[in-house]
Amino acid sequence: MAIESVSLFNPSQINPVSPTSKLSPSEAQGDFGDFLKTAIQSVNENQKASDVATEKLINGGDIELHDVMIASQKASITLNTTLEIRNKVVEAYQEIMRMQV
C-alpha cells in the first residue's frame, strides 16, 4: 500500500513571480481564480472518494475498514483546512474594510 501525503494544495501549482514582472489585475484574478478552483476541486474529489469507499464497505465490497477510515479522515482534514483558510481570508477582508484612509 502506497502512502500518500495529505495536501490541500500542490506546491507545483504556485508560480514564483519575479519583482519585475507586471500582471494586469485581470490576469492576477484569473491566476488566483484558477488556483482556487483547482483547490476546491481537490477537496471535492477527496469527499467523493470517501463516499465511494464508504459505499463499498456498506455493500460488502472488497475494501478494508482502515482504507475507508483513511479516506474519510483525509476528506475531513482537507475540508476543515479549506474552511479555516476561508475564515482567515474573510477575517483579513473585514480587517481591511475597517481601516481608515
Side-chain angles (χ1 to χ4, degrees):
M1 177 171 104
I3 298 175
E4 299 176 20
S5 66
V6 177
S7 175
L8 178 62
F9 302 111
N10 185 355
S12 65
Q13 293 174 331
I14 300 173
N15 297 328
V17 177
S18 66
T20 58
S21 69
K22 301 284 183 187
L23 290 177
S24 69
S26 63
E27 289 174 335
Q29 288 176 355
D31 289 345
F32 179 73
D34 291 340
F35 178 74
L36 189 60
K37 183 178 179 181
T38 303
I40 291 173
Q41 284 175 345
S42 173
V43 172
N44 190 35
E45 288 170 8
N46 285 335
Q47 292 289 332
K48 288 180 181 178
S50 174
D51 291 344
V52 167
T54 303
E55 286 292 323
K56 277 185 183 179
L57 183 67
I58 290 171
N59 294 329
D62 185 28
I63 190 164
E64 297 291 328
L65 178 61
H66 65 273
D67 290 332
V68 175
M69 293 305 296
I70 290 171
S72 174
Q73 287 299 308
K74 186 175 180 180
S76 175
I77 289 170
T78 56
L79 180 62
N80 287 337
T81 303
T82 303
L83 291 176
E84 287 300 320
I85 291 171
R86 183 211 54 186
N87 292 344
K88 288 292 185 182
V89 168
V90 169
E91 185 180 318
Y93 173 77
Q94 289 172 344
E95 185 68 27
I96 289 170
M97 295 310 292
R98 283 193 292 262
M99 286 183 183
Q100 294 182 4
V101 265

